[in-house]
mmCIF file of all heavy atoms in Angstrom:
data_model
loop_
_atom_site.group_PDB
_atom_site.id
_atom_site.type_symbol
_atom_site.label_atom_id
_atom_site.label_comp_id
_atom_site.label_asym_id
_atom_site.label_seq_id
_atom_site.Cartn_x
_atom_site.Cartn_y
_atom_site.Cartn_z
ATOM 1 N N GLY A 106 -3.955 11.006 -2.109
ATOM 2 C CA GLY A 106 -3.604 12.278 -1.497
ATOM 3 C C GLY A 106 -3.653 12.171 0.022
ATOM 4 O O GLY A 106 -3.347 11.142 0.608
ATOM 5 N N ASN A 107 -4.053 13.266 0.665
ATOM 6 C CA ASN A 107 -4.112 13.306 2.125
ATOM 7 C C ASN A 107 -5.522 13.162 2.654
ATOM 8 O O ASN A 107 -5.742 13.209 3.866
ATOM 9 C CB ASN A 107 -3.530 14.631 2.632
ATOM 10 C CG ASN A 107 -2.041 14.693 2.410
ATOM 11 O OD1 ASN A 107 -1.345 13.696 2.498
ATOM 12 N ND2 ASN A 107 -1.536 15.883 2.094
ATOM 13 N N ALA A 108 -6.495 12.982 1.775
ATOM 14 C CA ALA A 108 -7.890 13.037 2.215
ATOM 15 C C ALA A 108 -8.572 11.681 2.277
ATOM 16 O O ALA A 108 -9.510 11.505 3.046
ATOM 17 C CB ALA A 108 -8.687 13.967 1.298
ATOM 18 N N HIS A 109 -8.124 10.715 1.483
ATOM 19 C CA HIS A 109 -8.878 9.474 1.385
ATOM 20 C C HIS A 109 -7.981 8.239 1.346
ATOM 21 O O HIS A 109 -6.865 8.274 0.847
ATOM 22 C CB HIS A 109 -9.765 9.480 0.128
ATOM 23 C CG HIS A 109 -10.786 10.583 0.131
ATOM 24 N ND1 HIS A 109 -10.544 11.792 -0.451
ATOM 25 C CD2 HIS A 109 -12.021 10.647 0.668
ATOM 26 C CE1 HIS A 109 -11.609 12.578 -0.283
ATOM 27 N NE2 HIS A 109 -12.512 11.903 0.402
ATOM 28 N N LEU A 110 -8.535 7.162 1.879
ATOM 29 C CA LEU A 110 -7.912 5.840 1.843
ATOM 30 C C LEU A 110 -8.938 4.849 1.337
ATOM 31 O O LEU A 110 -10.106 4.888 1.728
ATOM 32 C CB LEU A 110 -7.455 5.425 3.249
ATOM 33 C CG LEU A 110 -6.987 3.972 3.414
ATOM 34 C CD1 LEU A 110 -5.618 3.772 2.778
ATOM 35 C CD2 LEU A 110 -6.944 3.581 4.901
ATOM 36 N N LEU A 111 -8.505 3.958 0.437
ATOM 37 C CA LEU A 111 -9.346 2.851 -0.003
ATOM 38 C C LEU A 111 -8.771 1.551 0.534
ATOM 39 O O LEU A 111 -7.557 1.348 0.526
ATOM 40 C CB LEU A 111 -9.427 2.779 -1.533
ATOM 41 C CG LEU A 111 -10.627 3.509 -2.177
ATOM 42 C CD1 LEU A 111 -10.518 5.008 -1.939
ATOM 43 C CD2 LEU A 111 -10.706 3.210 -3.669
ATOM 44 N N SER A 112 -9.649 0.688 1.011
ATOM 45 C CA SER A 112 -9.229 -0.616 1.521
ATOM 46 C C SER A 112 -10.068 -1.707 0.872
ATOM 47 O O SER A 112 -11.246 -1.521 0.596
ATOM 48 C CB SER A 112 -9.384 -0.682 3.047
ATOM 49 O OG SER A 112 -10.744 -0.503 3.431
ATOM 50 N N GLY A 113 -9.430 -2.843 0.626
ATOM 51 C CA GLY A 113 -10.129 -4.009 0.087
ATOM 52 C C GLY A 113 -9.798 -5.222 0.926
ATOM 53 O O GLY A 113 -8.719 -5.296 1.531
ATOM 54 N N ALA A 114 -10.721 -6.192 0.960
ATOM 55 C CA ALA A 114 -10.511 -7.335 1.839
ATOM 56 C C ALA A 114 -11.160 -8.591 1.269
ATOM 57 O O ALA A 114 -11.843 -8.549 0.237
ATOM 58 C CB ALA A 114 -11.052 -7.048 3.238
ATOM 59 N N GLU A 115 -10.956 -9.692 1.984
ATOM 60 C CA GLU A 115 -11.507 -10.971 1.551
ATOM 61 C C GLU A 115 -13.024 -11.046 1.741
ATOM 62 O O GLU A 115 -13.647 -12.011 1.300
ATOM 63 C CB GLU A 115 -10.824 -12.113 2.302
ATOM 64 C CG GLU A 115 -9.389 -12.352 1.846
ATOM 65 C CD GLU A 115 -8.754 -13.573 2.478
ATOM 66 O OE1 GLU A 115 -9.378 -14.165 3.392
ATOM 67 O OE2 GLU A 115 -7.646 -13.951 2.075
ATOM 68 N N ASP A 116 -13.621 -10.059 2.395
ATOM 69 C CA ASP A 116 -15.083 -10.026 2.511
ATOM 70 C C ASP A 116 -15.746 -9.479 1.251
ATOM 71 O O ASP A 116 -16.975 -9.369 1.187
ATOM 72 C CB ASP A 116 -15.518 -9.212 3.731
ATOM 73 C CG ASP A 116 -14.963 -7.786 3.738
ATOM 74 O OD1 ASP A 116 -14.376 -7.374 2.720
ATOM 75 O OD2 ASP A 116 -15.105 -7.101 4.764
ATOM 76 N N GLY A 117 -14.939 -9.122 0.246
ATOM 77 C CA GLY A 117 -15.485 -8.610 -1.008
ATOM 78 C C GLY A 117 -15.786 -7.126 -0.999
ATOM 79 O O GLY A 117 -16.285 -6.587 -1.990
ATOM 80 N N LEU A 118 -15.495 -6.447 0.104
ATOM 81 C CA LEU A 118 -15.812 -5.028 0.226
ATOM 82 C C LEU A 118 -14.639 -4.142 -0.158
ATOM 83 O O LEU A 118 -13.486 -4.484 0.086
ATOM 84 C CB LEU A 118 -16.215 -4.685 1.659
ATOM 85 C CG LEU A 118 -17.480 -5.315 2.235
ATOM 86 C CD1 LEU A 118 -17.680 -4.828 3.661
ATOM 87 C CD2 LEU A 118 -18.688 -5.005 1.384
ATOM 88 N N ILE A 119 -14.970 -2.989 -0.740
ATOM 89 C CA ILE A 119 -14.037 -1.871 -0.854
ATOM 90 C C ILE A 119 -14.613 -0.749 -0.008
ATOM 91 O O ILE A 119 -15.771 -0.360 -0.176
ATOM 92 C CB ILE A 119 -13.860 -1.409 -2.307
ATOM 93 C CG1 ILE A 119 -13.079 -2.449 -3.109
ATOM 94 C CG2 ILE A 119 -13.137 -0.061 -2.361
ATOM 95 C CD1 ILE A 119 -12.917 -2.100 -4.579
ATOM 96 N N CYS A 120 -13.814 -0.236 0.927
ATOM 97 C CA CYS A 120 -14.249 0.858 1.795
ATOM 98 C C CYS A 120 -13.492 2.122 1.455
ATOM 99 O O CYS A 120 -12.291 2.085 1.191
ATOM 100 C CB CYS A 120 -14.031 0.505 3.264
ATOM 101 S SG CYS A 120 -15.044 -0.868 3.847
ATOM 102 N N ILE A 121 -14.204 3.233 1.468
ATOM 103 C CA ILE A 121 -13.614 4.543 1.224
ATOM 104 C C ILE A 121 -13.620 5.297 2.540
ATOM 105 O O ILE A 121 -14.668 5.494 3.158
ATOM 106 C CB ILE A 121 -14.401 5.325 0.157
ATOM 107 C CG1 ILE A 121 -14.475 4.518 -1.149
ATOM 108 C CG2 ILE A 121 -13.778 6.692 -0.089
ATOM 109 C CD1 ILE A 121 -15.418 5.097 -2.181
ATOM 110 N N TRP A 122 -12.431 5.688 2.983
ATOM 111 C CA TRP A 122 -12.268 6.320 4.294
ATOM 112 C C TRP A 122 -11.875 7.784 4.150
ATOM 113 O O TRP A 122 -11.042 8.136 3.320
ATOM 114 C CB TRP A 122 -11.177 5.607 5.096
ATOM 115 C CG TRP A 122 -11.404 4.147 5.299
ATOM 116 C CD1 TRP A 122 -10.998 3.115 4.496
ATOM 117 C CD2 TRP A 122 -12.108 3.534 6.383
ATOM 118 N NE1 TRP A 122 -11.395 1.904 5.010
ATOM 119 C CE2 TRP A 122 -12.080 2.137 6.174
ATOM 120 C CE3 TRP A 122 -12.751 4.031 7.525
ATOM 121 C CZ2 TRP A 122 -12.674 1.239 7.057
ATOM 122 C CZ3 TRP A 122 -13.337 3.140 8.399
ATOM 123 C CH2 TRP A 122 -13.297 1.752 8.156
ATOM 124 N N ASP A 123 -12.482 8.625 4.999
ATOM 125 C CA ASP A 123 -12.056 10.013 5.155
ATOM 126 C C ASP A 123 -10.912 10.015 6.171
ATOM 127 O O ASP A 123 -11.107 9.652 7.335
ATOM 128 C CB ASP A 123 -13.237 10.846 5.663
ATOM 129 C CG ASP A 123 -12.847 12.264 6.052
ATOM 130 O OD1 ASP A 123 -11.698 12.654 5.800
ATOM 131 O OD2 ASP A 123 -13.699 12.973 6.615
#
Side-chain angles (χ1 to χ4, degrees):
N107 291 325
H109 299 93
L110 171 74
L111 266 65
S112 61
E115 288 186 352
D116 56 9
L118 296 180
I119 289 177
C120 295
I121 303 170
W122 303 90
D123 172 8

